[in-house]
Amino acid sequence: MYIKQAFNVLHEWWRYLVGFIIIFLASQIGTIPLILAVMSKKLSDDESIFSIDENEVLTTLSSNLTLFLMLLSFAIGLLGVYLVVRYLHRQRFVTLTTSRKKTDWGRVFFGFALITITTLVVTGLDYYSNPEDYVLQFDLVPFLILAVIAIIMIPLQTSFEEYLFRGYLMQGIGVLAKNKWLPLVLTSVIFGTLHLANPEVDKFGNIIMVYYIGTGFFLGIMTLMDEGMELALGFHAGNNLITALLVTADWTVFKTNSVLKDISEPSAGFDVITPVLILYPIFLLLMAWRYKWRDWGGKLFGKVEEPIVITEENNENSTFIE
């Protein structure tokens, strides 16, 4: 039902193409404040603005200001998603979120709590097992500023990614391809490959794409099995928020005033793919038990059939055959 309900709105292929372009442009417009801020800072330091590389963009400003301006582009992108869905497709935003009559916030909070508790436990165990790998860098004022920025902006960032990939593109590709496996595969692969620009790729190598693409599949499976994005919205927000507040490293995309700093030399081995091979299957089984998921084959690989409208002569009513 989650994908099929897109048949009830304007769903021609060109609308999804135009919509994706609008959303992309909106997110790029959102990067302008960060670029202008970096240029202004370099000019004030009497430095050239014509040789700014990616590393300078991330290090020229304070970490909290950089984080806010980075996340601003996602917030503008999320606004673009809303406007495209509402006015180009004439679709209610709740039907992009879920097949239920209204958003199930209990599911959102469950997904959030699941990854938050897991991250706290795993990080705590690693900290006490390998204290030499961490530096306690807690500084109250910068941390409080970080907390305000992160609590407000990170859910907007993760919601943009979820509404774009598990929502807009999942439904759009699904109604065009009329199946469920193709949108699952395409959105997961695109989601993962868009992280190629992250500094973690330079540190770990291409093997980390297993994690990024695997995470895309995990969130996509979660969405299709639960017939809605609520669990994915909560999980993604919890993952990024607790990571930004709890631990940072010089090689991460979010360099924050977090509680801990990881100074270890990470290895691009089993640690990178452990979440995909072990944790994600456990999470899916736990959700399947809690929410009584059934028919995995049909939910993940079944057809998406357009309702057939039969109009009888002299009858103002139409019968919809599912």
Side-chain angles (χ1 to χ4, degrees):
M1 289 300 296
Y2 175 67
I3 292 179
K4 183 185 289 189
Q5 63 190 355
F7 281 120
N8 298 325
V9 302
L10 302 177
H11 58 276
E12 295 88 349
W13 69 268
W14 64 266
R15 293 182 187 271
Y16 286 100
L17 176 60
V18 171
F20 181 79
I21 293 173
I22 293 173
I23 294 167
F24 173 77
L25 292 176
S27 66
Q28 295 307 298
I29 291 172
T31 65
I32 293 176
L34 175 59
I35 297 172
L36 292 178
V38 173
M39 293 174 62
S40 176
K41 181 64 167 60
K42 292 185 74 67
L43 285 173
S44 67
D45 294 339
D46 294 325
E47 298 179 22
S48 173
I49 63 173
F50 298 104
S51 60
I52 301 175
D53 58 27
E54 182 180 350
N55 186 61
E56 286 183 298
V57 170
L58 298 177
T59 59
T60 299
L61 307 174
S62 68
S63 62
N64 280 335
L65 179 58
T66 300
L67 179 66
F68 173 78
L69 293 175
M70 284 177 60
L71 296 176
L72 183 61
S73 66
F74 295 94
I76 301 300
L78 181 60
L79 176 62
V81 173
Y82 175 80
L83 294 176
V84 164
V85 169
R86 188 70 182 86
Y87 296 104
L88 182 61
H89 294 273
R90 304 290 182 176
Q91 181 177 8
R92 293 188 305 135
F93 210 61
V94 68
T95 63
L96 189 68
T97 307
T98 183
S99 61
R100 287 166 275 275
K101 292 183 179 180
K102 59 181 181 179
T103 302
D104 186 342
W105 289 100
R107 279 173 154 85
V108 176
F109 292 125
F110 179 80
F112 184 94
L114 180 62
I115 187 59
T116 298
I117 294 171
T118 301
T119 303
L120 288 172
V121 170
V122 171
T123 304
L125 291 174
D126 192 51
Y127 176 76
Y128 285 106
S129 300
N130 306 286
E132 69 279 3
D133 290 343
Y134 295 91
V135 171
L136 183 64
Q137 63 169 18
F138 180 74
D139 191 347
L140 181 60
V141 174
F143 178 80
L144 290 177
I145 296 172
L146 166 65
V148 172
I149 294 172
I151 291 171
I152 295 174
M153 299 299 291
I154 285 181
L156 297 179
Q157 175 247 327
T158 56
S159 293
F160 166 68
E161 294 184 356
E162 289 308 307
Y163 276 107
L164 176 59
F165 291 102
R166 260 62 66 180
Y168 188 69
L169 293 179
M170 182 77 79
Q171 287 189 347
I173 297 171
V175 297
L176 295 176
K178 293 184 172 57
N179 63 55
K180 298 178 181 180
W181 67 266
L182 186 61
L184 174 61
V185 171
L186 289 181
T187 57
S188 301
V189 172
I190 295 171
F191 173 79
T193 53
L194 286 181
H195 289 79
L196 275 170
N198 285 14
E200 290 91 338
V201 178
D202 292 332
K203 189 68 176 180
F204 289 97
N206 290 333
I207 191 173
I208 199 171
M209 298 310 297
V210 174
Y211 169 74
Y212 287 130
I213 295 175
T215 299
F217 272 102
F218 168 66
L219 294 168
I221 292 170
M222 192 188 306
T223 298
L224 290 178
M225 289 303 303
D226 202 49
E227 297 288 3
M229 286 171 43
E230 292 100 330
L231 290 170
L233 284 168
F235 187 96
H236 200 165
N239 180 75
N240 287 24
L241 179 60
I242 196 65
T243 300
L245 294 175
L246 184 60
V247 61
T248 189
D250 290 334
W251 41 266
T252 61
V253 66
F254 286 164
K255 299 176 179 65
T256 65
N257 294 295
S258 57
V259 176
L260 299 171
K261 181 176 181 179
D262 186 348
I263 59 172
S264 66
E265 186 64 27
S267 60
F270 189 69
D271 290 346
V272 173
I273 59 177
T274 295
V276 177
L277 297 180
I278 298 177
L279 288 180
Y280 289 171
I282 292 174
F283 290 157
L284 287 174
L285 290 175
L286 179 60
M287 293 175 186
W289 170 77
R290 179 178 176 84
Y291 296 109
K292 297 178 174 57
W293 293 347
R294 300 289 186 273
D295 188 22
W296 288 71
K299 292 286 185 68
L300 299 180
F301 304 103
K303 295 181 179 179
V304 179
E305 298 179 350
E306 184 173 4
I308 300 174
V309 181
I310 301 177
T311 304
E312 299 179 1
E313 290 185 7
N314 302 321
N315 189 349
E316 295 180 353
N317 297 321
S318 297
T319 302
F320 291 82
I321 301 177
E322 297 290 341

